[in-house]
mmCIF file of all heavy atoms in Angstrom:
data_model
loop_
_atom_site.group_PDB
_atom_site.id
_atom_site.type_symbol
_atom_site.label_atom_id
_atom_site.label_comp_id
_atom_site.label_asym_id
_atom_site.label_seq_id
_atom_site.Cartn_x
_atom_site.Cartn_y
_atom_site.Cartn_z
ATOM 1 N N ALA A 39 1.819 -35.017 -14.459
ATOM 2 C CA ALA A 39 1.845 -35.772 -15.718
ATOM 3 C C ALA A 39 2.822 -36.944 -15.643
ATOM 4 O O ALA A 39 2.526 -38.057 -16.101
ATOM 5 C CB ALA A 39 2.223 -34.834 -16.865
ATOM 6 N N ILE A 40 3.997 -36.710 -15.052
ATOM 7 C CA ILE A 40 5.000 -37.775 -14.915
ATOM 8 C C ILE A 40 4.469 -38.908 -14.057
ATOM 9 O O ILE A 40 4.569 -40.091 -14.404
ATOM 10 C CB ILE A 40 6.304 -37.210 -14.309
ATOM 11 C CG1 ILE A 40 7.013 -36.306 -15.320
ATOM 12 C CG2 ILE A 40 7.229 -38.334 -13.847
ATOM 13 C CD1 ILE A 40 8.175 -35.527 -14.725
ATOM 14 N N LYS A 41 3.863 -38.534 -12.916
ATOM 15 C CA LYS A 41 3.361 -39.564 -11.997
ATOM 16 C C LYS A 41 2.178 -40.311 -12.602
ATOM 17 O O LYS A 41 2.082 -41.536 -12.478
ATOM 18 C CB LYS A 41 2.973 -38.925 -10.662
ATOM 19 C CG LYS A 41 4.137 -38.356 -9.873
ATOM 20 C CD LYS A 41 5.038 -39.444 -9.318
ATOM 21 C CE LYS A 41 4.416 -40.161 -8.154
ATOM 22 N NZ LYS A 41 5.331 -41.143 -7.528
ATOM 23 N N ASP A 42 1.284 -39.600 -13.260
ATOM 24 C CA ASP A 42 0.125 -40.260 -13.864
ATOM 25 C C ASP A 42 0.557 -41.256 -14.945
ATOM 26 O O ASP A 42 0.000 -42.357 -15.050
ATOM 27 C CB ASP A 42 -0.833 -39.223 -14.463
ATOM 28 C CG ASP A 42 -1.635 -38.485 -13.407
ATOM 29 O OD1 ASP A 42 -1.653 -38.945 -12.243
ATOM 30 O OD2 ASP A 42 -2.252 -37.449 -13.740
ATOM 31 N N GLN A 43 1.541 -40.857 -15.740
ATOM 32 C CA GLN A 43 2.028 -41.761 -16.787
ATOM 33 C C GLN A 43 2.655 -43.007 -16.171
ATOM 34 O O GLN A 43 2.418 -44.138 -16.626
ATOM 35 C CB GLN A 43 3.045 -41.045 -17.667
ATOM 36 C CG GLN A 43 3.545 -41.901 -18.834
ATOM 37 C CD GLN A 43 4.531 -41.162 -19.717
ATOM 38 O OE1 GLN A 43 5.018 -40.100 -19.359
ATOM 39 N NE2 GLN A 43 4.836 -41.718 -20.878
ATOM 40 N N ALA A 44 3.436 -42.820 -15.102
ATOM 41 C CA ALA A 44 4.075 -43.959 -14.438
ATOM 42 C C ALA A 44 3.046 -44.872 -13.788
ATOM 43 O O ALA A 44 3.149 -46.107 -13.862
ATOM 44 C CB ALA A 44 5.082 -43.464 -13.403
ATOM 45 N N LEU A 45 2.029 -44.284 -13.178
ATOM 46 C CA LEU A 45 0.998 -45.083 -12.509
ATOM 47 C C LEU A 45 0.209 -45.910 -13.517
ATOM 48 O O LEU A 45 -0.323 -46.975 -13.172
ATOM 49 C CB LEU A 45 0.057 -44.169 -11.724
ATOM 50 C CG LEU A 45 0.663 -43.469 -10.509
ATOM 51 C CD1 LEU A 45 -0.295 -42.424 -9.953
ATOM 52 C CD2 LEU A 45 1.039 -44.477 -9.432
ATOM 53 N N GLY A 46 0.136 -45.433 -14.735
ATOM 54 C CA GLY A 46 -0.576 -46.165 -15.773
ATOM 55 C C GLY A 46 0.183 -47.377 -16.299
ATOM 56 O O GLY A 46 -0.380 -48.180 -17.053
ATOM 57 N N GLN A 47 1.450 -47.504 -15.910
ATOM 58 C CA GLN A 47 2.246 -48.637 -16.380
ATOM 59 C C GLN A 47 3.087 -49.237 -15.254
ATOM 60 O O GLN A 47 4.252 -49.597 -15.454
ATOM 61 C CB GLN A 47 3.140 -48.197 -17.548
ATOM 62 C CG GLN A 47 3.932 -46.926 -17.286
ATOM 63 C CD GLN A 47 4.739 -46.479 -18.491
ATOM 64 O OE1 GLN A 47 4.894 -47.210 -19.468
ATOM 65 N NE2 GLN A 47 5.280 -45.277 -18.435
ATOM 66 N N LEU A 48 2.499 -49.365 -14.072
ATOM 67 C CA LEU A 48 3.241 -49.869 -12.913
ATOM 68 C C LEU A 48 3.803 -51.265 -13.146
ATOM 69 O O LEU A 48 4.968 -51.539 -12.817
ATOM 70 C CB LEU A 48 2.336 -49.887 -11.671
ATOM 71 C CG LEU A 48 2.157 -48.583 -10.900
ATOM 72 C CD1 LEU A 48 1.373 -48.833 -9.620
ATOM 73 C CD2 LEU A 48 3.504 -47.952 -10.578
ATOM 74 N N ASP A 49 2.989 -52.160 -13.681
ATOM 75 C CA ASP A 49 3.451 -53.534 -13.870
ATOM 76 C C ASP A 49 4.622 -53.590 -14.848
ATOM 77 O O ASP A 49 5.595 -54.334 -14.635
ATOM 78 C CB ASP A 49 2.296 -54.417 -14.359
ATOM 79 C CG ASP A 49 1.250 -54.650 -13.282
ATOM 80 O OD1 ASP A 49 1.604 -54.535 -12.082
ATOM 81 O OD2 ASP A 49 0.087 -54.939 -13.620
ATOM 82 N N GLN A 50 4.552 -52.812 -15.926
ATOM 83 C CA GLN A 50 5.638 -52.797 -16.902
ATOM 84 C C GLN A 50 6.916 -52.223 -16.290
ATOM 85 O O GLN A 50 8.014 -52.743 -16.513
ATOM 86 C CB GLN A 50 5.248 -51.991 -18.138
ATOM 87 C CG GLN A 50 4.024 -52.523 -18.887
ATOM 88 C CD GLN A 50 2.728 -51.841 -18.462
ATOM 89 O OE1 GLN A 50 2.407 -51.793 -17.276
ATOM 90 N NE2 GLN A 50 1.995 -51.326 -19.439
ATOM 91 N N LEU A 51 6.768 -51.134 -15.519
ATOM 92 C CA LEU A 51 7.939 -50.520 -14.890
ATOM 93 C C LEU A 51 8.565 -51.455 -13.868
ATOM 94 O O LEU A 51 9.802 -51.543 -13.755
ATOM 95 C CB LEU A 51 7.546 -49.192 -14.232
ATOM 96 C CG LEU A 51 7.188 -48.048 -15.171
ATOM 97 C CD1 LEU A 51 6.707 -46.835 -14.376
ATOM 98 C CD2 LEU A 51 8.377 -47.666 -16.049
ATOM 99 N N TYR A 52 7.720 -52.164 -13.126
ATOM 100 C CA TYR A 52 8.256 -53.117 -12.154
ATOM 101 C C TYR A 52 9.032 -54.224 -12.862
ATOM 102 O O TYR A 52 10.148 -54.588 -12.444
ATOM 103 C CB TYR A 52 7.142 -53.723 -11.308
ATOM 104 C CG TYR A 52 7.625 -54.890 -10.463
ATOM 105 C CD1 TYR A 52 8.407 -54.675 -9.334
ATOM 106 C CD2 TYR A 52 7.328 -56.202 -10.826
ATOM 107 C CE1 TYR A 52 8.874 -55.740 -8.573
ATOM 108 C CE2 TYR A 52 7.801 -57.273 -10.080
ATOM 109 C CZ TYR A 52 8.568 -57.041 -8.954
ATOM 110 O OH TYR A 52 9.048 -58.096 -8.219
ATOM 111 N N ALA A 53 8.471 -54.763 -13.936
ATOM 112 C CA ALA A 53 9.140 -55.835 -14.674
ATOM 113 C C ALA A 53 10.474 -55.348 -15.252
ATOM 114 O O ALA A 53 11.490 -56.067 -15.207
ATOM 115 C CB ALA A 53 8.231 -56.343 -15.789
ATOM 116 N N GLN A 54 10.481 -54.127 -15.764
ATOM 117 C CA GLN A 54 11.716 -53.562 -16.320
ATOM 118 C C GLN A 54 12.755 -53.355 -15.228
ATOM 119 O O GLN A 54 13.939 -53.680 -15.402
ATOM 120 C CB GLN A 54 11.406 -52.244 -17.033
ATOM 121 C CG GLN A 54 12.616 -51.607 -17.712
ATOM 122 C CD GLN A 54 12.303 -50.243 -18.318
ATOM 123 O OE1 GLN A 54 11.201 -49.714 -18.175
ATOM 124 N NE2 GLN A 54 13.283 -49.656 -19.000
ATOM 125 N N PHE A 55 12.322 -52.792 -14.099
ATOM 126 C CA PHE A 55 13.240 -52.564 -12.983
ATOM 127 C C PHE A 55 13.833 -53.889 -12.513
ATOM 128 O O PHE A 55 15.051 -54.008 -12.313
ATOM 129 C CB PHE A 55 12.508 -51.874 -11.825
ATOM 130 C CG PHE A 55 13.420 -51.452 -10.700
ATOM 131 C CD1 PHE A 55 13.802 -50.126 -10.572
ATOM 132 C CD2 PHE A 55 13.920 -52.365 -9.781
ATOM 133 C CE1 PHE A 55 14.650 -49.722 -9.550
ATOM 134 C CE2 PHE A 55 14.771 -51.975 -8.756
ATOM 135 C CZ PHE A 55 15.141 -50.648 -8.642
ATOM 136 N N LYS A 56 12.982 -54.886 -12.335
ATOM 137 C CA LYS A 56 13.435 -56.187 -11.826
ATOM 138 C C LYS A 56 14.460 -56.822 -12.766
ATOM 139 O O LYS A 56 15.514 -57.316 -12.328
ATOM 140 C CB LYS A 56 12.227 -57.115 -11.655
ATOM 141 C CG LYS A 56 12.562 -58.514 -11.127
ATOM 142 C CD LYS A 56 11.283 -59.323 -10.935
ATOM 143 C CE LYS A 56 11.585 -60.777 -10.593
ATOM 144 N NZ LYS A 56 12.211 -60.912 -9.255
ATOM 145 N N ALA A 57 14.178 -56.784 -14.057
ATOM 146 C CA ALA A 57 15.103 -57.382 -15.028
ATOM 147 C C ALA A 57 16.457 -56.672 -15.001
ATOM 148 O O ALA A 57 17.517 -57.331 -14.986
ATOM 149 C CB ALA A 57 14.497 -57.325 -16.426
ATOM 150 N N ASN A 58 16.443 -55.347 -14.983
ATOM 151 C CA ASN A 58 17.705 -54.596 -14.968
ATOM 152 C C ASN A 58 18.436 -54.750 -13.640
ATOM 153 O O ASN A 58 19.668 -54.777 -13.597
ATOM 154 C CB ASN A 58 17.434 -53.119 -15.261
ATOM 155 C CG ASN A 58 17.029 -52.872 -16.697
ATOM 156 O OD1 ASN A 58 17.465 -53.598 -17.593
ATOM 157 N ND2 ASN A 58 16.189 -51.879 -16.928
ATOM 158 N N ALA A 59 17.690 -54.829 -12.541
ATOM 159 C CA ALA A 59 18.311 -54.970 -11.223
ATOM 160 C C ALA A 59 19.013 -56.313 -11.081
ATOM 161 O O ALA A 59 20.132 -56.402 -10.553
ATOM 162 C CB ALA A 59 17.249 -54.810 -10.139
ATOM 163 N N GLU A 60 18.366 -57.365 -11.537
ATOM 164 C CA GLU A 60 18.955 -58.701 -11.376
ATOM 165 C C GLU A 60 20.231 -58.851 -12.196
ATOM 166 O O GLU A 60 21.135 -59.600 -11.819
ATOM 167 C CB GLU A 60 17.915 -59.759 -11.747
ATOM 168 C CG GLU A 60 16.798 -59.847 -10.697
ATOM 169 C CD GLU A 60 15.682 -60.797 -11.066
ATOM 170 O OE1 GLU A 60 15.600 -61.195 -12.255
ATOM 171 O OE2 GLU A 60 14.878 -61.141 -10.171
ATOM 172 N N LYS A 61 20.337 -58.104 -13.297
ATOM 173 C CA LYS A 61 21.587 -58.108 -14.064
ATOM 174 C C LYS A 61 22.730 -57.507 -13.256
ATOM 175 O O LYS A 61 23.904 -57.824 -13.480
ATOM 176 C CB LYS A 61 21.410 -57.310 -15.357
ATOM 177 C CG LYS A 61 20.464 -57.940 -16.371
ATOM 178 C CD LYS A 61 20.282 -57.010 -17.563
ATOM 179 C CE LYS A 61 19.232 -57.559 -18.527
ATOM 180 N NZ LYS A 61 18.982 -56.618 -19.655
ATOM 181 N N LYS A 62 22.395 -56.631 -12.315
ATOM 182 C CA LYS A 62 23.407 -55.962 -11.503
ATOM 183 C C LYS A 62 23.632 -56.675 -10.162
ATOM 184 O O LYS A 62 24.346 -56.159 -9.295
ATOM 185 C CB LYS A 62 22.989 -54.507 -11.253
ATOM 186 C CG LYS A 62 22.951 -53.662 -12.522
ATOM 187 C CD LYS A 62 22.457 -52.250 -12.230
ATOM 188 C CE LYS A 62 22.658 -51.336 -13.431
ATOM 189 N NZ LYS A 62 21.863 -51.733 -14.601
ATOM 190 N N GLY A 63 22.976 -57.805 -9.961
ATOM 191 C CA GLY A 63 23.175 -58.553 -8.722
ATOM 192 C C GLY A 63 22.270 -58.117 -7.587
ATOM 193 O O GLY A 63 22.514 -58.460 -6.414
ATOM 194 N N ILE A 64 21.202 -57.378 -7.887
ATOM 195 C CA ILE A 64 20.238 -56.958 -6.872
ATOM 196 C C ILE A 64 19.112 -57.984 -6.810
ATOM 197 O O ILE A 64 18.599 -58.417 -7.845
ATOM 198 C CB ILE A 64 19.653 -55.571 -7.215
ATOM 199 C CG1 ILE A 64 20.749 -54.537 -7.411
ATOM 200 C CG2 ILE A 64 18.695 -55.113 -6.116
ATOM 201 C CD1 ILE A 64 20.250 -53.211 -7.983
ATOM 202 N N HIS A 65 18.723 -58.351 -5.602
ATOM 203 C CA HIS A 65 17.590 -59.247 -5.414
ATOM 204 C C HIS A 65 16.329 -58.401 -5.282
ATOM 205 O O HIS A 65 16.257 -57.506 -4.429
ATOM 206 C CB HIS A 65 17.775 -60.095 -4.149
ATOM 207 C CG HIS A 65 19.068 -60.854 -4.118
ATOM 208 N ND1 HIS A 65 19.252 -62.049 -4.754
ATOM 209 C CD2 HIS A 65 20.255 -60.554 -3.526
ATOM 210 C CE1 HIS A 65 20.476 -62.485 -4.553
ATOM 211 N NE2 HIS A 65 21.127 -61.587 -3.809
ATOM 212 N N VAL A 66 15.315 -58.675 -6.112
ATOM 213 C CA VAL A 66 14.086 -57.880 -6.116
ATOM 214 C C VAL A 66 12.914 -58.741 -5.657
ATOM 215 O O VAL A 66 12.746 -59.877 -6.118
ATOM 216 C CB VAL A 66 13.796 -57.306 -7.519
ATOM 217 C CG1 VAL A 66 12.505 -56.493 -7.516
ATOM 218 C CG2 VAL A 66 14.967 -56.430 -7.983
ATOM 219 N N HIS A 67 12.135 -58.204 -4.730
ATOM 220 C CA HIS A 67 10.979 -58.903 -4.170
ATOM 221 C C HIS A 67 9.745 -58.026 -4.341
ATOM 222 O O HIS A 67 9.834 -56.795 -4.343
ATOM 223 C CB HIS A 67 11.181 -59.184 -2.675
ATOM 224 C CG HIS A 67 12.532 -59.739 -2.329
ATOM 225 N ND1 HIS A 67 12.756 -61.074 -2.102
ATOM 226 C CD2 HIS A 67 13.741 -59.115 -2.167
ATOM 227 C CE1 HIS A 67 14.038 -61.267 -1.801
ATOM 228 N NE2 HIS A 67 14.655 -60.101 -1.833
ATOM 229 N N LEU A 68 8.579 -58.649 -4.444
ATOM 230 C CA LEU A 68 7.312 -57.922 -4.494
ATOM 231 C C LEU A 68 6.404 -58.445 -3.392
ATOM 232 O O LEU A 68 6.112 -59.643 -3.327
ATOM 233 C CB LEU A 68 6.632 -58.098 -5.850
ATOM 234 C CG LEU A 68 5.267 -57.427 -6.023
ATOM 235 C CD1 LEU A 68 5.355 -55.917 -5.814
ATOM 236 C CD2 LEU A 68 4.672 -57.739 -7.391
ATOM 237 N N ALA A 69 5.990 -57.549 -2.505
ATOM 238 C CA ALA A 69 5.124 -57.920 -1.386
ATOM 239 C C ALA A 69 3.727 -57.374 -1.633
ATOM 240 O O ALA A 69 3.547 -56.169 -1.841
ATOM 241 C CB ALA A 69 5.678 -57.368 -0.073
ATOM 242 N N ASP A 70 2.733 -58.250 -1.600
ATOM 243 C CA ASP A 70 1.352 -57.813 -1.824
ATOM 244 C C ASP A 70 0.804 -57.037 -0.640
ATOM 245 O O ASP A 70 -0.047 -56.160 -0.811
ATOM 246 C CB ASP A 70 0.458 -59.029 -2.103
ATOM 247 C CG ASP A 70 0.723 -59.631 -3.472
ATOM 248 O OD1 ASP A 70 1.183 -58.899 -4.367
ATOM 249 O OD2 ASP A 70 0.481 -60.838 -3.647
ATOM 250 N N THR A 71 1.260 -57.366 0.578
ATOM 251 C CA THR A 71 0.731 -56.745 1.791
ATOM 252 C C THR A 71 1.870 -56.265 2.681
ATOM 253 O O THR A 71 3.035 -56.645 2.489
ATOM 254 C CB THR A 71 -0.124 -57.741 2.592
ATOM 255 O OG1 THR A 71 0.734 -58.807 3.057
ATOM 256 C CG2 THR A 71 -1.253 -58.317 1.744
ATOM 257 N N ALA A 72 1.518 -55.458 3.671
ATOM 258 C CA ALA A 72 2.506 -54.988 4.637
ATOM 259 C C ALA A 72 3.108 -56.158 5.405
ATOM 260 O O ALA A 72 4.330 -56.212 5.634
ATOM 261 C CB ALA A 72 1.847 -54.000 5.604
ATOM 262 N N GLU A 73 2.261 -57.090 5.819
ATOM 263 C CA GLU A 73 2.742 -58.262 6.552
ATOM 264 C C GLU A 73 3.733 -59.057 5.710
ATOM 265 O O GLU A 73 4.772 -59.523 6.202
ATOM 266 C CB GLU A 73 1.553 -59.147 6.937
ATOM 267 C CG GLU A 73 1.906 -60.398 7.720
ATOM 268 C CD GLU A 73 2.183 -60.141 9.188
ATOM 269 O OE1 GLU A 73 1.916 -59.013 9.653
ATOM 270 O OE2 GLU A 73 2.665 -61.057 9.858
ATOM 271 N N ALA A 74 3.448 -59.213 4.408
ATOM 272 C CA ALA A 74 4.348 -59.952 3.523
ATOM 273 C C ALA A 74 5.695 -59.242 3.398
ATOM 274 O O ALA A 74 6.753 -59.897 3.384
ATOM 275 C CB ALA A 74 3.706 -60.124 2.154
#
Side-chain angles (χ1 to χ4, degrees):
I40 290 170
K41 294 290 286 185
D42 285 346
Q43 183 179 12
L45 292 171
Q47 49 183 348
L48 278 187
D49 290 336
Q50 300 95 307
L51 290 175
Y52 170 74
Q54 183 185 4
F55 187 102
K56 180 177 172 68
N58 289 329
E60 289 175 345
K61 292 176 186 176
K62 295 177 170 64
I64 305 170
H65 305 278
V66 179
H67 314 260
L68 178 59
D70 288 334
T71 65
E73 181 78 10

